[in-house]
């Protein structure tokens, strides 16, 4: 499992550096060295400018719930219950794919 994570981290780093992988589409986190679903709740993954995990209307970070057994990830604003954005939708998709990749490792 660890070897698969490390190999995926290295592969994604190279693909991102080569411009063939968007940072939003990574299954791993180069900051934390983990699968993205394992650290997406970190404040590092909140960005008000790009709206990753950010509710513009409430100026608030979105809460995160990850259920690895069900393969589900949800993010929503603790104030208004909404807060979705295109950036957050991509992050959700990456987290779901990360769960699947972790399971396959």
């Amino acid at each position: 499992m660890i070897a698969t994570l490390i190999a995926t981290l290295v592969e994604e780093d190279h693909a991102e550096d080569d411009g063939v992988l968007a940072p939003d589409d990574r299954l791993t986190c180069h900051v934390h060295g983990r699968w993205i679903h394992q650290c997406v709740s970190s404040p590092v993954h909140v960005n008000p400018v790009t709206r990753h995990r950010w509710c513009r209307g409430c100026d608030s970070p979105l809460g995160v719930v990850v259920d690895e057994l069900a393969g589900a990830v949800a993010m929503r604003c603790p104030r208004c219950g909404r807060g979705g954005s295109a950036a957050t939708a991509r992050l959700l998709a990456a987290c779901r794919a990360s769960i699947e990749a972790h399971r396959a490792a």
Side-chain angles (χ1 to χ4, degrees):
M1 276 192 172
I2 297 293
T4 302
L5 171 60
I6 292 169
T8 306
L9 276 160
V10 170
E11 181 181 319
E12 288 186 341
D13 284 347
H14 291 310
E16 189 179 348
D17 290 345
D18 292 342
V20 296
L21 178 67
D24 292 350
D25 296 329
R26 290 183 66 114
L27 305 185
T28 61
C29 173
H30 70 279
V31 174
H32 297 106
R34 302 184 62 102
W35 296 102
I36 192 66
H37 73 276
Q38 294 174 328
C39 63
V40 70
S41 62
S42 167
V44 171
H45 294 289
V46 175
N47 190 324
V49 175
T50 62
R51 294 190 60 204
H52 287 85
R53 282 197 49 221
W54 186 257
C55 179
R56 182 181 291 164
C58 295
D59 286 333
S60 177
L62 304 182
V64 179
V65 176
V66 177
D67 183 340
E68 287 191 50
L69 293 176
V73 183
M75 297 179 197
R76 62 177 226 153
C77 177
R79 293 183 182 170
C80 70
R82 294 184 305 274
S85 69
T88 294
R90 287 182 74 178
L91 186 55
L92 284 166
C95 286
R96 290 181 189 116
S98 170
I99 291 171
E100 290 303 316
H102 181 179
R103 284 180 179 168

